[in-house]
């Protein structure tokens, strides 16, 4: 079973946080690929592509979906092209997750 896109939300926030709350998409991809190897071990299909090898890389597509939903929830903003910036709401979510181990957005995956 494929890992749903919303499972990438906390890792995106973690990646952005390592850059003082603002990072490029390339940095986020690189950080997740290096630091969340368990995702790819659990679901090797994430490394594949849509449309039989010629489409988007599946895990990167899921990160872009996660980004869009975090934007809707007010957790990320985009001050300029290619820059992802964590908002105070995103920082609160990440801090809560670090303290409790529970994602405060659990159950809010899709609305």
């Amino acid at each position: 079973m494929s890992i749903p896109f919303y499972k990438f939300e906390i890792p995106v926030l973690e990646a952005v946080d390592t850059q003082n709350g603002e990072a490029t998409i390339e940095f986020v991809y690189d950080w997740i690929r290096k630091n969340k190897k368990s995702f790819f071990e659990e679901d090797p299909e994430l490394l594949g592509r849509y449309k039989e090898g010629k489409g988007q890389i599946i895990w990167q597509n899921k990160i872009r979906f996660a980004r869009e939903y975090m934007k809707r929830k007010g957790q990320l903003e985009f001050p300029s092209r290619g820059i992802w910036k964590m908002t105070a709401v995103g920082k609160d979510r990440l801090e809560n997750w670090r303290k409790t181990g529970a994602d405060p957005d659990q159950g809010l995956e899709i609305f």
Side-chain angles (χ1 to χ4, degrees):
M1 173 142 175
S2 185
I3 295 174
F5 74 86
Y6 53 84
K7 295 291 185 183
F8 283 96
E9 290 183 6
I10 291 291
V12 166
L13 292 174
E14 287 180 294
V16 173
D17 190 54
T18 65
Q19 296 293 295
N20 297 316
E22 195 168 308
T24 65
I25 187 171
E26 292 84 8
F27 178 84
V28 172
Y29 287 160
D30 189 52
W31 190 92
I32 289 175
R33 186 69 176 101
K34 289 178 181 174
N35 293 282
K36 298 298 176 182
K37 293 179 182 176
S38 63
F39 280 13
F40 306 104
E41 292 166 358
E42 180 182 331
D43 187 2
E45 290 180 11
L46 288 172
L47 297 170
R49 293 179 179 267
Y50 291 113
K51 298 185 182 177
E52 299 187 25
K54 295 183 180 183
Q56 298 175 6
I57 297 171
I58 294 169
W59 69 274
Q60 291 177 355
N61 178 267
K62 289 179 185 261
I63 288 172
R64 287 191 296 274
F65 267 95
R67 175 198 65 179
E68 180 59 31
Y69 277 83
M70 287 189 290
K71 176 183 169 187
R72 293 178 188 185
K73 293 187 273 188
Q75 298 170 1
L76 285 179
E77 60 187 15
F78 310 99
S80 60
R81 184 174 173 89
I83 302 296
W84 300 10
K85 183 175 181 181
M86 188 179 345
T87 66
V89 175
K91 184 77 169 171
D92 287 346
R93 178 183 180 190
L94 183 60
E95 288 176 6
N96 187 309
W97 176 80
R98 286 179 172 156
K99 288 178 187 174
T100 66
D103 186 351
D105 280 13
Q106 187 81 27
L108 301 177
E109 292 88 7
I110 302 175
F111 46 79

